[in-house]
């Protein structure tokens, strides 16, 4: 959460790099954006705007900036409302700071700084870092030492970069809990510190990821270089890795939105996941499996439970990471602990994984970003092959996650990838009138997504997608559970999306659908062509509409259903005029608790 970029260069156009990187980082937060830089007279300047990076871009373009050093930030608000005062960078006596994470002891530090005479202009936890560094400079320390001292006083998680107007050739960064990478441009004229590889695509081909407690000092002398210090203040060498994010990954390739592009990639992703899966894991040696994740990745885990227990006969627990890490879970000895994360940076999942490691267990990460913190810290990594996912709502990553797990537990030889690819493509190419259906759904006061068996996790995923994109409350429920309470909500303004392929659960979900119709609820039934003959009772019922998927093997229905519910959420949000790539209040990478 929150995107960070900073640059030190021999060229005087760093504001261009900052703004272009911030546009790419917008998926990390878009409540406000800002930059601070040293102008041609080494004076600290700052521009901040509320809302998307485009507003900042407009303001920067009017400012005619000539600067060789600067920092930038896109904010996902934690402490303090979405206002310009709370927007980063925060400054104090010529020091400017941007931050991702949470400073837990900021109140205490703030009081101390207030007693020293510092006045605060924001409600953020970040501003204390600027003031603290300024205070150490005032007491006689140089910029680097003042920064190191300040970082040493912070409790919490952070990625922070800083500049100071009296040190125009120095750029500083610190990492604890939140990711940070440093890189130098191919022409060696500029260096950058950023929160991820996406920010640095087009800027640096090779990256160094900081480790916990590291501080990086970037300097400009005869050449641009950087030095990394570990927690004990020793100079350390960290491995360099190639920046694999390319410009094509970052483009919409002609689609109206990233989300639509990413849904349309779901069949390709399935094929790529299958083709590139080379891992050889003997799952039979484990007594049980624990899957820990958040959001959509958690739902991939719920689906995995159905498959693993059915096909591999291994008991599975699935846990929400934020609960697992604090509930004093009893860890099981011969268990395979799997952590699923698209970004690989979700702090709850990362901390849950650390907890398992601290207890002496081996950990396996299923991640889409192989340079991420989770990937770097796990004992074993399975890279999902979704490619870069930019839309805040996760779509194609879910397909890669569920297929990777299916392969891991039943083996490639038992999977018909052609059938999966065909199933997804048949939804993408079916020509369903989503715009019309979505218009109908857009009038709903709230939604239920129901399903049984493997359709239930997809119902959960469907409900999450519709609520995060359309801001209407939605619940995913096992079909059989509605009558135990939730059915009280049903009336003519509530829409139920019933996921009922013609499998062993079909009849039961159809009965539950009848119960909804009997109470005037509206139903969109997603079923399969082979169910047509069994749907006579719905003839002439204006409250139900059916969408038919192609018939398939039961275990592949989740793939087609996923693509369908993704498109449904997409078009419903579009019909309401919402920004599907950047839904309100959200961020792609959730690096705070
Ligand atoms: O990067 P992760 O898979 O760890 O992210 C987990 C959730 O934050 C994520 O799936 C979130 O729920 C999405 N916005 C859902 O579309």
């Amino acid at each position: 959460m929150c995107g960070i970029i900073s640059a030190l260069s021999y060229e005087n156009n760093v504001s261009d790099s900052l703004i272009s990187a911030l546009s790419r980082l917008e998926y990390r937060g878009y409540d406000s954006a800002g930059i601070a830089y040293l102008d041609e007279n080494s004076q600290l300047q700052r521009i901040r705007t509320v809302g998307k990076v485009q507003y900042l871009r407009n303001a920067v373009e009017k400012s005619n900036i000539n600067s060789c050093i600067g920092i930038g930030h896109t904010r996902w608000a934690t402490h303090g409302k979405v206002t310009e005062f709370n927007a980063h960078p925060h400054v104090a006596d010529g020091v400017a700071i941007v931050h991702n994470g949470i400073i837990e002891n900021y109140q205490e530090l703030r009081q101390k700084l207030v007693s020293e005479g510092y006045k605060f202009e924001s409600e953020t936890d970040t501003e204390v870092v600027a003031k603290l560094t300024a205070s150490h400079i005032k007491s006689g320390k140089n910029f680097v030492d003042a920064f190191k001292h300040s970082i040493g006083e912070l409790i919490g998680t952070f990625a922070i970069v800083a500049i100071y107007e009296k040190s125009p050739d120095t750029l500083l960064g610190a990492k604890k809990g939140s990711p940070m990478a440093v890189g130098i441009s191919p022409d060696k004229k500029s260096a950058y510190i950023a929160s991820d590889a996406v920010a640095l695509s087009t800027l640096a081909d090779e990256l160094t990821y900081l480790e916990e407690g590291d501080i990086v000092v970037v300097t400009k002398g005869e050449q641009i270089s950087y030095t990394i210090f570990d927690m004990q203040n020793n100079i350390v060498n960290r491995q360099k890795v190639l920046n694999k994010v390319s410009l094509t990954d970052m483009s919409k390739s002609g689609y109206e939105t990233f989300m639509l592009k990413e849904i349309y990639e779901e069949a390709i992703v399935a094929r790529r996941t299958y083709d590139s899966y080379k891992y050889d894991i003997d799952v039979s040696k484990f007594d049980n499996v624990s899957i820990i994740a958040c959001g959509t990745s958690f739902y991939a885990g719920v689906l995995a439970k159905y498959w693993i227990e059915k096909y591999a006969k291994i008991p599975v627990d699935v846990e929400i990471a934020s609960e697992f890490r604090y509930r004093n879970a009893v860890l099981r000895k011969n268990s395979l602990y799997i952590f699923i994360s698209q970004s690989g940076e979700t702090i709850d999942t990362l901390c849950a994984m650390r907890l398992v490691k601290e207890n002496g267990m081996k950990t396996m990460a299923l991640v889409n970003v192989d340079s991420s913190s989770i990937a770097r810290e796990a004992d074993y990594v399975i890279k999902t092959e979704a490619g870069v996912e930019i839309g805040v709502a996760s779509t194609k990553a879910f397909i890669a996650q569920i297929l990777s797990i299916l392969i891991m537990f039943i083996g490639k030889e038992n999977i018909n990838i052609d059938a999966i690819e065909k199933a997804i493509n048949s939804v993408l190419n079916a020509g369903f009138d989503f715009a019309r259906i979505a218009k109908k759904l857009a009038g709903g006061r709230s939604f239920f997504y129901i399903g049984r068996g493997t359709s239930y996790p997809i119902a959960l995923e469907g409900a999450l997608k519709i609520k995060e994109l359309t801001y209407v409350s939605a619940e995913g429920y096992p079909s059989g559970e509605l009558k135990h309470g939730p059915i009280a909500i049903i009336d003519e303004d509530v829409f139920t999306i019933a996921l009922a392929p013609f499998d062993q659960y079909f009849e039961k979900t159809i009965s539950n659908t009848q119960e909804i119709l009997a109470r005037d609820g509206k139903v969109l039934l997603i079923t399969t062509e082979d169910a047509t003959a069994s749907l006579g009772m719905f003839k002439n019922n204006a409250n139900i509409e059916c969408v038919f998927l192609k018939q398939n093997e039961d275990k592949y229905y989740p793939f087609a259903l996923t693509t369908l519910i993704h498109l449904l959420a997409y078009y419903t949000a579009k019909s309401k005029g919402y920004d599907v790539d950047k839904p309100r209040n959200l961020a792609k990478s959730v690096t705070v608790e």
Side-chain angles (χ1 to χ4, degrees):
M1 268 163 168
C2 297
I4 289 180
I5 176 70
S6 57
L8 174 63
S9 178
Y10 290 106
E11 315 273 0
N12 63 357
N13 58 352
V14 294
S15 63
D16 296 346
S17 323
L18 297 182
I19 293 295
S20 72
L22 287 178
S23 312
R24 293 190 292 275
L25 279 172
E26 233 182 339
Y27 74 95
R28 285 177 159 263
Y30 30 83
D31 288 334
S32 60
I35 60 167
Y37 57 93
L38 303 186
D39 66 15
E40 46 278 63
N41 303 314
S42 260
Q43 296 297 301
L44 184 66
Q45 307 292 345
R46 170 171 67 160
I47 305 176
R48 298 177 297 171
T49 51
V50 169
K52 299 192 173 140
V53 170
Q54 186 55 42
Y55 301 118
L56 180 70
R57 184 188 289 276
N58 297 345
V60 165
E61 274 168 10
K62 283 188 209 138
S63 304
N64 205 11
I65 298 171
N66 284 311
S67 173
C68 298
I69 182 166
I71 61 180
H73 188 264
T74 55
R75 179 170 186 243
W76 186 83
T78 59
H79 294 60
K81 289 213 165 89
V82 178
T83 61
E84 192 177 319
F85 279 125
N86 288 330
H88 297 215
H90 291 286
V91 298
D93 304 338
V95 173
I97 298 274
V98 291
H99 162 224
N100 168 27
I102 291 179
I103 312 292
E104 288 168 10
N105 59 335
Y106 83 102
Q107 301 270 30
E108 189 188 314
L109 293 170
R110 190 171 168 133
Q111 269 166 20
K112 190 179 128 221
L113 290 158
V114 167
S115 69
E116 284 178 27
Y118 283 98
K119 291 202 168 45
F120 282 78
E121 60 166 25
S122 78
E123 304 155 277
T124 64
D125 51 340
T126 306
E127 198 181 350
V128 295
V129 189
K131 303 280 194 271
L132 199 58
T133 308
S135 142
H136 286 311
I137 291 173
K138 207 164 154 191
S139 73
K141 293 190 170 54
N142 64 34
F143 178 37
V144 175
D145 287 343
F147 183 71
K148 283 183 177 172
H149 262 81
S150 305
I151 296 300
E153 288 174 69
L154 305 180
I155 299 174
T157 56
F158 47 80
I160 295 173
V161 295
I163 54 173
Y164 177 44
E165 63 183 11
K166 295 205 175 123
S167 298
D169 294 335
T170 307
L171 172 66
L172 303 179
K175 175 223 151 74
K176 188 181 153 214
S178 303
M180 177 166 271
V182 54
I184 291 185
S185 62
D187 65 6
K188 313 271 184 251
K189 287 186 177 160
S190 309
Y192 306 93
I193 309 176
S195 42
D196 62 30
V198 167
L200 295 177
S201 67
T202 77
L203 298 176
D205 298 339
E206 241 182 15
L207 306 179
T208 304
Y209 285 90
L210 267 57
E211 291 186 9
E212 287 304 281
D214 283 357
I215 288 183
V216 60
V217 178
V218 184
T219 48
K220 189 173 82 175
E222 275 179 20
Q223 55 181 15
I224 289 220
S225 62
Y226 58 85
T227 311
I228 299 176
F229 297 86
D230 69 7
M231 237 181 277
Q232 284 74 41
N233 207 21
N234 301 313
I235 294 181
V236 281
N237 270 323
R238 302 287 183 221
Q239 200 194 349
K240 287 195 174 82
V241 291
L242 279 182
N243 186 355
K244 293 187 200 144
V245 180
S246 75
L247 259 191
T248 333
D249 295 329
M250 307 300 301
S251 101
K252 291 184 192 151
S253 311
Y255 286 91
E256 199 184 348
T257 60
F258 281 110
M259 185 180 172
L260 194 61
K261 173 192 170 203
E262 288 159 8
I263 298 173
Y264 270 84
E265 283 172 352
E266 288 185 349
I268 302 163
V269 163
R271 169 64 70 181
R272 192 165 59 220
T273 300
Y274 182 88
D275 287 347
S276 57
Y277 192 98
K278 304 255 157 32
Y279 307 93
D280 186 15
I281 300 148
D282 180 9
V283 290
S284 66
K285 66 179 187 209
F286 295 102
D287 295 334
N288 41 57
V289 174
S290 287
I291 301 178
I292 297 155
C294 303
T296 286
S297 299
F298 170 75
Y299 298 143
V302 180
L303 176 57
K305 177 181 170 70
Y306 281 81
W307 277 335
I308 298 170
E309 293 195 343
K310 178 169 180 182
Y311 299 114
K313 307 280 180 231
I314 305 174
V316 181
D317 294 324
V318 193
E319 301 233 32
I320 296 273
S322 55
E323 284 301 308
F324 173 82
R325 58 183 289 210
Y326 290 118
R327 75 169 176 81
N328 301 316
V330 177
L331 302 188
R332 281 188 286 232
K333 279 242 149 30
N334 195 28
S335 193
L336 172 61
Y337 281 91
I338 305 179
F339 298 84
I340 308 180
S341 176
Q342 186 286 126
S343 62
E345 299 297 351
T346 301
I347 195 80
D348 284 315
T349 311
L350 175 62
C351 291
M353 190 177 87
R354 285 180 182 157
L355 181 79
V356 170
K357 279 188 88 164
E358 278 157 24
N359 280 277
M361 314 281 178
K362 294 283 179 220
T363 54
M364 173 181 283
L366 206 71
V367 282
N368 200 38
V369 182
D370 53 3
S371 56
S372 63
S373 307
I374 292 180
R376 283 181 289 122
E377 290 188 30
D379 295 306
Y380 309 104
V381 176
I382 295 210
K383 163 121 170 45
T384 51
E385 292 297 335
V388 175
E389 192 180 68
I390 306 277
V392 165
S394 189
T395 53
K396 59 177 180 169
F398 182 76
I399 294 284
Q401 291 166 343
I402 62 176
L403 183 54
S404 300
I405 293 207
L406 189 63
I407 301 174
M408 193 193 317
F409 284 89
I410 76 170
K412 258 176 148 175
E413 63 286 6
N414 295 312
I415 291 174
N416 181 347
I417 185 62
D418 293 338
I420 294 176
E421 203 177 21
K422 221 162 133 190
I424 299 174
N425 275 329
S426 73
V427 176
L428 294 173
N429 304 327
F432 294 129
D433 192 351
F434 282 112
R436 183 190 55 77
I437 299 172
K439 224 167 162 184
K440 244 167 102 175
L441 294 183
R445 185 184 74 234
S446 62
F447 294 94
F448 279 114
Y449 277 69
I450 60 168
R452 285 174 185 252
T454 54
S455 299
Y456 164 56
I458 310 300
L460 294 171
E461 164 67 358
L464 175 61
K465 286 294 104 92
I466 204 106
K467 66 188 144 198
E468 74 175 323
L469 293 172
T470 72
Y471 320 144
V472 172
S473 75
E475 288 189 72
Y477 249 92
S479 311
E481 193 60 17
L482 268 196
K483 56 189 170 295
H484 297 289
I487 202 164
I489 296 175
I490 298 286
D491 65 20
E492 64 279 6
D493 295 325
V494 175
F495 265 103
T496 301
I497 320 297
L499 307 181
F502 201 53
D503 58 13
Q504 66 175 113
Y505 306 103
F506 173 78
E507 296 293 349
K508 299 212 181 293
T509 297
I510 292 301
S511 300
N512 303 134
T513 303
Q514 305 247 44
E515 291 153 13
I516 293 163
L517 291 169
R519 287 157 182 87
D520 294 329
K522 307 251 172 30
V523 177
L524 180 69
L525 177 71
I526 319 281
T527 184
T528 41
E529 285 173 351
D530 45 346
T532 314
S534 314
L535 295 171
M537 65 288 217
F538 296 140
K539 227 171 160 188
N540 305 323
N541 188 334
N543 278 349
I544 182 165
E545 170 160 0
C546 301
V547 170
F548 294 96
L549 302 175
K550 297 266 178 242
Q551 185 178 342
N552 210 328
E553 233 184 278
D554 285 5
K555 67 173 179 280
Y556 303 138
Y557 282 135
F559 292 95
L561 286 172
T562 296
T563 303
L564 193 121
I565 52 107
H566 284 163
L567 284 170
L568 213 55
Y570 176 84
Y571 283 107
T572 310
K574 284 301 275 182
S575 78
K576 289 181 165 229
Y578 294 145
D579 183 340
V580 291
D581 283 339
K582 299 187 193 86
R584 73 183 185 199
N585 302 339
L586 296 178
K588 181 84 181 150
S589 193
V590 183
T591 54
V592 293
E593 290 196 40

